[in-house]
Amino acid sequence: MLRSVLTLEQVLAMSPDDAAALWLVRQDAVDDPDDERVFLQWLDADPAHGLAWARACATWVDLAGADEADIEALKQADDPLRWGWPQWRVAAAASIAFVVIAGVMLLASGLGSQFGLGGAPTRIAANPPGTRTILSTQSEQRTVKLADGSTVTLDADTALALDYDQAHRRIELLRGQAFFRVAHDPGRPFVVENAKRSVTALGTQFEVRVRGSALRVILVEGRVRVATGTGGADAIVELGAGQRLDAGPAGVTVTRADRVGAEDWQQGMVSFHDTPLGDAAAELNRHSHGKPLLVRDPEVAGIRVSGAFHVDDARRFARTIAEIYPVRIVETATALEIVSKARGRR
């Protein structure tokens, strides 16, 4: 499908929030030098445009975990501030929702080419000047090729911000898990940051995962230097291939890594090795489309499980666990609860 050229006159005729929302959709579809040129001209044309762009990007990040019911409730809310958002974010959210919905309607009617919308967007990659934000939704995995030839594979519900210039390659992992294949460039270190911690690589393959205040790094190939942010003897740790670093409130540990497991999730699989059942259920829930797994009993949550499972089939995981361990499944209207077999049946 041919992608139409978006002119400065077209976007200047829109309200700042509508134009910002349209830029989000356009930039998600493809990197286009002509679009980038017009986008920068639009930003320079009025200070209000930069503010609208910042609002749109911030609102999209806020809405990344929202479902259809959340969006509908937001649109119908008589008091939007009860969501904890300023009024302008609600307006921006409505603007983004309008553009996305309108884009789908235009596609259905065959008129989508007017704005170059070649398909319904699966995610938004925001590109404010100097940075680029990449997101994946729940149950989505995606691989992105970066400008330097490196690639990053995002696991479900992951967000990162890119900051590239002639002197450095910096990525902030905002949440989730990502696997990096780094193009060799000694003059520009490749750095992945989270909070006050960083992982610096030169031509390597590694995984970084963030869960709350816990950081995990698995090095598959090459070498990395990890600044753990602890300020102690383990403030700087160098990892070799096949090593794993965990950093959190309990301190820093370096162990042998399961390199196969680090790549399993990129193939739609997840591996557990002596993992608490509660943690395994939470991991499956990050990818599942259907009813979530629920583990409320602390004793059940502490059962150690091992095995390889499809990330998008929580129901099969629950059935398998029930066949191996002393648990059973109680299905409700909203969840698949894993309970002890000793618990009385309803």
Side-chain angles (χ1 to χ4, degrees):
M1 184 181 213
L2 293 176
R3 178 180 170 88
S4 65
V5 176
L6 187 62
T7 67
L8 182 61
E9 290 73 20
Q10 285 177 299
V11 289
L12 289 178
M14 301 178 181
S15 71
D17 284 324
D18 284 348
L22 180 59
W23 282 121
L24 283 174
V25 176
R26 294 274 297 196
Q27 293 192 6
D28 179 64
V30 68
D31 289 331
D32 187 323
D34 290 330
D35 264 16
E36 186 69 14
R37 175 180 53 80
V38 176
F39 171 68
L40 294 176
Q41 291 174 345
W42 174 77
L43 283 177
D44 291 338
D46 191 324
H49 297 165
L51 293 174
W53 177 245
R55 290 197 296 267
C57 293
T59 300
W60 183 259
V61 172
D62 282 345
L63 290 174
D67 58 21
E68 294 180 5
D70 292 332
I71 299 298
E72 185 60 31
L74 175 62
K75 289 157 59 181
Q76 300 299 328
D78 54 357
D79 180 12
L81 294 182
R82 66 188 174 89
W83 284 72
W85 293 350
Q87 181 69 38
W88 58 260
R89 283 200 178 184
V90 176
S95 173
I96 293 173
F98 170 78
V99 170
V100 174
I101 294 170
V104 174
M105 293 176 65
L106 286 169
L107 286 166
S109 64
L111 300 176
S113 60
Q114 178 178 352
F115 292 110
L117 301 178
T122 59
R123 75 284 184 276
I124 297 295
N127 292 290
T131 65
R132 179 185 181 191
T133 301
I134 303 176
L135 307 175
S136 63
T137 61
Q138 183 174 351
S139 78
E140 177 194 25
Q141 293 180 355
R142 52 180 301 219
T143 297
V144 178
K145 187 172 183 178
L146 307 181
D148 65 329
S150 301
T151 62
V152 54
T153 299
L154 285 72
D155 198 7
D157 191 25
T158 294
L160 52 83
L162 276 65
D163 182 8
Y164 269 40
D165 63 24
Q166 293 182 347
H168 67 258
R169 297 174 290 174
R170 182 177 295 119
I171 297 178
E172 182 178 4
L173 183 58
L174 303 173
R175 67 171 183 270
Q177 173 173 280
F179 190 91
F180 302 91
R181 294 176 174 86
V182 182
H184 187 63
D185 186 351
R188 289 199 303 164
F190 189 99
V191 182
V192 179
E193 300 176 337
N194 173 260
K196 296 181 179 180
R197 303 165 298 195
S198 66
V199 182
T200 303
L202 289 172
T204 189
Q205 299 184 29
F206 63 101
E207 172 189 294
V208 181
R209 172 174 173 158
V210 174
R211 291 287 184 272
S213 60
L215 172 75
R216 184 185 77 189
V217 180
I218 295 179
L219 182 57
V220 174
E221 178 182 295
R223 60 185 180 88
V224 297
R225 183 174 65 252
V226 183
T228 63
T230 61
D234 53 6
I236 303 295
V237 178
E238 297 234 0
L239 297 183
Q243 288 188 305
R244 164 178 168 168
L245 177 142
D246 290 273
V252 178
T253 60
V254 177
T255 58
R256 183 177 178 181
D258 176 14
R259 286 190 281 183
V260 175
E263 298 176 339
D264 276 352
W265 61 265
Q266 301 174 63
Q267 311 299 325
M269 301 291 293
V270 61
S271 297
F272 301 121
H273 302 279
D274 201 32
T275 303
L277 178 54
D279 293 347
E283 182 67 21
L284 266 295
N285 285 341
R286 293 181 58 247
H287 301 85
S288 178
H289 290 280
K291 292 181 180 179
L293 299 172
L294 178 63
V295 186
R296 292 186 292 185
D297 185 333
E299 291 188 6
V300 173
I303 294 174
R304 300 281 174 163
V305 301
S306 299
F309 305 88
H310 289 280
V311 296
D312 58 353
D313 198 343
R315 185 179 294 272
R316 177 179 292 182
F317 168 82
R319 287 200 307 263
T320 302
I321 292 300
E323 292 175 358
I324 301 173
Y325 300 94
V327 298
R328 62 187 181 87
I329 310 304
V330 176
E331 183 168 1
T332 68
T334 59
L336 298 172
E337 184 172 5
I338 304 176
V339 303
S340 171
K341 282 185 177 178
R343 172 175 154 180
R345 294 181 176 272
R346 296 176 181 174

